[in-house]
Amino acid sequence: MSSKITLTRDTGRLSINQKIFYEDNGYLVIPRLIALDILKECSQRFDDIASGKHPRGEIIVMKDVSDRGVVNKIQDLNYDEVFQKYIECKELLDIVESFTGGNIMAMHSMLIAKPPDVGSGSSRHPPHQDLYYFPFRPINKIVAAWTAIEPCDVLNGCLYVSPGSHKTNPLLPHFYPADTKAGSANKFYYGIQVGTCLFVLLLFLGNPVFFSFSKDLPVSTMPWINAEMLPGDTIFLHPLLVHGSGVNTSTRTRKAISCHYAAAESSYIEVKGTVQEPVDVEVMEVVRRRFPEITSINYSDVWRYKSTLVRGIRSLL
Ligand SMILES: O=C(O)CCC(=O)C(=O)O
């Protein structure tokens, strides 16, 4: 157990036990944090954007690689007034402030509607560390909030986490998984394993626990805990925590909404020459294809453009 609290600040919103839990495990679940009517509106707005009934505006719409008719994710939600009700929700930001401090930027937001898997495994999100995507620091002032919109369980591919892996692992190299069928990895669904990764579901103390037998997945990322959640439940994740989500083997969707927040005083770093270089290269290829007229833009500029201040004063980010 931690003897020192380094990852959270005193804002009076988290109990000492919650702070110690986050320090030790790198995640924290707050049940029923978000009002269901906000989530219902967000879910409806997703459906309307996915069906073309509502204009997407700046929002990026992504389709499942194995089932091109299905929108499985939309991202960069922060300019939409419905999604802002989630991203700027007081109850949420009051908790986020314990991780980031009082000046808060919403850096990256998504609504993920994991569809029933068509058999390729593309609905899973391989084990990864969110920091891999982020060209800003300090690490400990970044936090993800991920809220279940629909019941999320093992059958429809809930999140799983490796408790404590934020302490034992540096930022690891990420790759497209080698163990999914050819062409079945969704864009930007990077994972930290490079070889064949076999997950076996075991029942451990009544809770399903994943063990990995991948030779490449660090032993320190075992065991896996499934984060089964009900609508409104919110999990906060440290950016180095190894986590992912399973295949949706049910006939239901699995909707969740998330936002990554960072302290506004954070600063951008150069990721060229680091393990993060491949994501910089791939994102910039997409940006240049989409906006060929913009020539002088780099990876940090992309983040500068898509992030918004949600509390306090904007500074370096
Ligand atoms: O919602 C999911 O299935 C995975 C989300 C996740 O792990 C992430 O966005 O970092």
Side-chain angles (χ1 to χ4, degrees):
M1 197 209 272
S2 289
S3 54
K4 229 171 126 203
I5 302 290
T6 57
L7 302 181
T8 50
R9 271 140 285 280
D10 263 328
T11 62
R13 303 290 175 178
L14 295 179
S15 69
I16 185 68
N17 285 344
Q18 287 172 320
K19 285 160 161 270
I20 292 171
F21 187 91
Y22 184 78
E23 198 81 23
D24 288 340
N25 295 286
Y27 73 96
L28 180 69
V29 178
I30 310 268
R32 303 300 170 110
L33 180 67
I34 307 296
L36 298 186
D37 55 343
I38 293 181
L39 298 177
K40 210 170 147 198
E41 268 193 83
C42 291
S43 180
Q44 186 61 52
R45 177 56 58 98
F46 170 88
D47 291 345
D48 291 344
I49 289 173
S51 68
K53 196 169 151 196
H54 187 87
R56 62 178 66 175
E58 303 267 315
I59 290 173
I60 296 176
V61 176
M62 297 165 102
K63 292 191 172 166
D64 187 275
V65 68
S66 305
D67 190 358
R68 300 300 296 169
V70 170
V71 173
N72 64 350
K73 180 154 101 167
I74 60 174
Q75 69 180 46
D76 297 339
L77 315 176
N78 30 346
Y79 292 105
D80 180 291
E81 76 279 4
V82 168
F83 296 126
Q84 278 167 0
K85 292 184 190 179
Y86 171 78
I87 294 167
E88 299 181 18
C89 169
K90 179 180 182 316
E91 290 74 15
L92 185 58
L93 293 184
D94 282 350
I95 305 281
V96 168
E97 196 170 328
S98 310
F99 303 98
T100 59
N103 300 312
I104 310 174
M105 295 289 289
M107 300 304 294
H108 181 61
S109 46
M110 298 180 284
L111 196 153
I112 304 147
K114 187 193 285 260
D117 201 276
V118 291
S120 66
S122 63
S123 64
R124 85 181 175 111
H125 198 136
H128 63 281
Q129 296 164 300
D130 291 341
L131 188 68
Y132 183 67
Y133 299 87
F134 302 149
F136 43 86
R137 302 289 188 272
I139 297 172
N140 290 343
K141 290 198 170 186
I142 303 171
V143 71
W146 188 102
T147 302
I149 292 179
E150 295 172 325
C152 299
D153 48 48
V154 172
L155 287 179
N156 69 355
C158 64
L159 283 189
Y160 56 81
V161 299
S162 171
S165 53
H166 67 304
K167 289 190 295 198
T168 44
N169 291 291
L171 180 58
L172 298 162
H174 286 54
F175 306 89
Y176 281 114
D179 60 330
T180 42
K181 288 184 192 161
S184 66
N186 278 311
K187 205 152 178 63
F188 298 115
Y189 278 38
Y190 294 108
I192 59 174
Q193 78 281 36
V194 291
T196 303
C197 183
L198 174 64
F199 290 113
V200 178
L201 183 63
L202 295 174
L203 286 182
F204 178 70
L205 295 175
N207 287 318
V209 173
F210 282 102
F211 288 93
S212 165
F213 292 97
S214 164
K215 62 178 171 31
D216 304 302
L217 209 55
V219 171
S220 54
T221 61
M222 296 188 282
W224 301 99
I225 302 293
N226 286 310
E228 293 197 315
M229 291 162 59
L230 291 170
D233 293 355
T234 301
I235 187 167
F236 294 88
L237 304 165
H238 186 277
L240 281 174
L241 186 80
V242 182
H243 67 285
S245 69
V247 171
N248 184 352
T249 58
S250 78
T251 53
R252 297 167 283 139
T253 54
R254 196 232 59 193
K255 275 187 183 155
I257 185 164
S258 74
C259 185
H260 284 86
Y261 299 94
E265 307 81 3
S266 307
S267 39
Y268 288 105
I269 57 156
E270 178 56 73
V271 300
K272 286 199 171 43
T274 74
V275 291
Q276 293 177 259
E277 182 162 352
V279 70
D280 173 331
V281 170
E282 193 174 355
V283 167
M284 293 316 294
E285 277 168 12
V286 173
V287 170
R288 286 192 193 104
R289 255 201 320 272
R290 220 174 142 202
F291 306 101
E293 68 284 3
I294 306 176
T295 49
S296 59
I297 185 171
N298 63 29
Y299 192 45
S300 303
D301 294 332
V302 172
W303 287 89
R304 210 173 267 121
Y305 176 73
K306 78 198 204 93
S307 54
T308 49
L309 182 76
V310 289
R311 183 172 280 184
I313 299 167
R314 186 162 192 168
S315 47
L316 294 173
L317 280 187

